[in-house]
Amino acid sequence: MDTGLIHLHSLLRWVALLAILVVIIRAFSSLRKSKPYTAADNRWSLITLITFHLQLVVGLLLYFTQGWHNQIGNMSDKVIRFFAVEHLLAMLIVVFLVTFGRVKAKKAATDDLKHRHHFIYFILALLLLLANIPWPVREVGIGKSWFPGM
């Protein structure tokens, strides 16, 4: 089961990155050209929100099934600290930023504000996300494969 969850978590990483990039590019373009907030903008932010929440659920399943929650006392090990604390906390903040950005955009009075909220909150989420994904180029033990199982 863990292998399937790891593959799903890895696949969703790419879907989440694509979705958040689409929202950021659409918001930036719309801000520059003063475009109206469309149903497609709303749909892409919803797809992003759903993807990130699904990624969170799969990640939490991995966190508990792999026993990272039992490793909190061993913070001198970089790998354990990364997966048991740093990655989890950063990704919780990322999901919060995506959720908060979408809610703020939905409640905004003007189209410009909707695009601005998407751009600001989603770009912050993207930066934190990119900094805390276990990319293959990270130090030994933390870095994971670009596509696990392939």
Side-chain angles (χ1 to χ4, degrees), residues 4-106:
L5 286 176
I6 290 170
H7 289 168
L8 179 60
H9 197 60
S10 181
L11 173 68
L12 285 173
R13 161 183 53 182
W14 298 108
V15 175
L17 281 169
L18 175 67
I20 200 167
L21 283 172
V22 168
V23 173
I24 290 168
I25 291 167
R26 288 180 68 88
F28 182 73
S29 173
S30 297
L31 280 170
R32 289 196 62 209
K33 298 176 183 174
S34 297
K35 289 183 179 177
Y37 187 81
T38 65
D41 295 318
N42 185 51
R43 191 175 317 113
W44 272 107
S45 73
L46 179 61
I47 289 167
T48 304
L49 178 83
I50 291 169
T51 304
F52 273 87
H53 281 219
L54 183 57
Q55 183 74 322
L56 174 65
V57 170
V58 173
L60 287 174
L61 283 171
L62 278 169
Y63 183 79
F64 289 107
T65 60
Q66 293 193 341
W68 291 112
H69 64 289
N70 292 327
Q71 301 294 325
I72 299 293
N74 194 1
M75 291 297 106
S76 59
D77 184 320
K78 285 185 199 179
V79 176
I80 291 174
R81 185 178 59 245
F82 177 78
F83 285 107
V85 178
E86 296 169 10
H87 182 69
L88 173 68
L89 182 60
M91 296 308 159
L92 285 170
I93 295 169
V94 166
V95 172
F96 171 79
L97 286 169
V98 168
T99 304
F100 192 72
R102 176 163 162 78
V103 169
K104 289 282 284 182
K106 281 191 72 161

Side-chain angles (χ1 to χ4, degrees), residues 104-133:
K104 289 282 284 182
K106 281 191 72 161
K107 291 184 177 184
T110 67
D111 289 347
D112 184 61
L113 268 177
K114 290 178 184 195
H115 292 303
R116 189 173 309 281
H117 288 311
H118 275 161
F119 182 74
I120 291 169
Y121 288 104
F122 283 39
I123 200 90
L124 289 173
L126 177 64
L127 293 173
L128 189 58
L129 175 72
L130 291 174
N132 287 283
I133 288 177

